[in-house]
Amino acid sequence: MALLPIRTYPDPVLAQKCRPIDQVDQDIRRLAEEMAETMYDAPGVGLAAPQVGRPIRLIVVDTAEGEQRGNPMMLVNPEILEAEGELVFNEGCLSVPDYTADVHRAARVKVQARDLDGKPVHIEAEGLLSVCLQHEIDHLDGRLFIDRISQLKRSMYRKRRLKQLRREGS
Ligand code: NI
């Protein structure tokens, strides 16, 4: 197992619409394990495959705290079936360094996916888990949380980020 390098804004892979996974094979299982390991190491509460450079519909999520942590959801082709209510949550992202912002999301979602054995999974989520699932599924459609804030805030972050990257010489 290896930690995977995390792609950061404005890497174009983060803006790509990811393709569905036809079959869960050894490569996908290994990728999911490595993504989970990378998420725990960061640490973060979720990670989507495009964040490690793979534009496919796979996410890992763990919103538990403390000793409960370590039992990640690994979801293939996750889809939001129903969304209701509204909440505002201060979000960050491993691919959007040094920035958080308030984002409006649905308060509750029903998500359908497959697990790594190809079995259907249904999740009803609220609170942090609901936010996290919406955030990760957004990644699969090439959308970052900064695409859900005002244009002014987004362009201020973009300028700051590009300046930072120039300073780092990348
Ligand atoms: Ni993210």
Side-chain angles (χ1 to χ4, degrees), residues 46-48 51 92-96 135-136 139 144-145:
L47 196 66
Q51 294 184 272
C93 178
L94 297 172
S95 294
V96 181
H135 177 120
E136 300 311 330
H139 273 298
L144 300 173
F145 79 91

Side-chain angles (χ1 to χ4, degrees), residues 58-76:
L58 172 67
I59 64 174
V60 298
V61 169
D62 188 351
T63 54
E65 283 177 31
E67 289 184 3
Q68 304 296 315
R69 236 165 122 66
N71 196 8
M73 281 183 194
M74 297 172 168
L75 303 177
V76 173

Side-chain angles (χ1 to χ4, degrees), residues 5-16 50-54 95 142 144 158 161-162 165:
I6 295 177
R7 306 293 186 90
T8 56
Y9 179 81
D11 189 316
V13 73
L14 297 171
Q16 225 172 299
Q51 294 184 272
V52 294
R54 298 280 301 268
S95 294
L144 300 173
R158 183 179 169 83
R161 178 71 185 142
L162 294 179
L165 287 170

Side-chain angles (χ1 to χ4, degrees), residues 3-143:
L3 295 178
L4 303 168
I6 295 177
R7 306 293 186 90
T8 56
Y9 179 81
D11 189 316
V13 73
L14 297 171
Q16 225 172 299
K17 173 134 177 123
C18 300
R19 65 177 181 276
I21 294 171
D22 296 333
Q23 206 182 343
V24 179
D25 57 15
Q26 205 43 47
D27 170 60
I28 298 294
R29 282 192 201 96
R30 186 192 169 87
L31 176 64
E33 294 292 342
E34 291 184 337
M35 282 170 56
E37 200 180 342
T38 303
M39 170 183 76
Y40 290 122
D41 180 73
V45 292
L47 196 66
Q51 294 184 272
V52 294
R54 298 280 301 268
I56 55 175
R57 304 187 82 83
L58 172 67
I59 64 174
V60 298
V61 169
D62 188 351
T63 54
E65 283 177 31
E67 289 184 3
Q68 304 296 315
R69 236 165 122 66
N71 196 8
M73 281 183 194
M74 297 172 168
L75 303 177
V76 173
N77 300 336
E79 261 180 276
I80 295 172
L81 296 183
E82 282 177 42
E84 59 169 32
E86 196 189 308
L87 60 71
V88 178
F89 197 89
N90 192 259
E91 294 186 28
C93 178
L94 297 172
S95 294
V96 181
D98 308 315
Y99 191 66
T100 64
D102 284 346
V103 180
H104 291 255
R105 298 277 188 189
R108 290 170 298 281
V109 290
K110 283 186 189 170
V111 170
Q112 163 186 283
R114 300 257 165 191
D115 67 14
L116 291 183
D117 298 317
K119 293 198 194 99
V121 185
H122 292 271
I123 301 158
E124 291 188 24
E126 57 180 19
L128 176 60
L129 180 58
S130 171
V131 169
C132 189
L133 287 167
Q134 292 172 74
H135 177 120
E136 300 311 330
I137 292 170
D138 262 358
H139 273 298
L140 305 182
D141 293 321
R143 206 177 298 127

